[in-house]
Amino acid sequence: MLRTGSFAHGAFSARIRASGVKAPRVGENLAWAAGTLSQARGIVNLWLASPEHRANLLRPGYQTVGVGARKGRFEGVSGVLVVTTDFAGR
């Protein structure tokens, strides 16, 4: 996302399944932030404040979680952290 300057889920289900995940249910949370909000606590608090993202974080059926994070320049701001978290399970 940093390389392309985009911020979107796209076809995340197809992408997750192409990596070999066979779980019946998948989900994804995305975030980007700078400064103190880019710390883990800030990102998680942003997700917890959103009903859809909160549901992914707290879903008891998710058994597998993958996290990717990268710092760079995004939307004209330096030092931005972009985080993708993918979930899989039932």
Side-chain angles (χ1 to χ4, degrees):
M1 287 185 275
L2 286 173
R3 187 179 59 237
T4 62
S6 64
F7 187 76
H9 292 280
F12 80 89
S13 181
R15 187 181 69 246
I16 292 170
R17 297 203 184 286
S19 73
V21 172
K22 296 184 182 356
R25 186 175 182 105
V26 296
E28 181 174 70
N29 284 359
L30 303 178
W32 74 271
T36 58
L37 283 178
S38 69
Q39 297 174 2
R41 178 174 296 198
I43 297 290
V44 171
N45 284 337
L46 289 170
W47 284 335
L48 288 172
S50 159
E52 296 86 3
H53 294 98
R54 182 183 186 89
N56 276 339
L57 288 175
L58 301 179
R59 183 174 183 79
Y62 284 146
Q63 300 162 315
T64 304
V65 178
V67 179
R70 181 89 186 230
K71 273 197 166 183
R73 187 170 185 80
F74 189 72
E75 297 276 320
V77 180
S78 295
V80 166
L81 181 68
V82 175
V83 182
T84 301
T85 305
D86 293 324
F87 305 90
R90 45 180 172 72

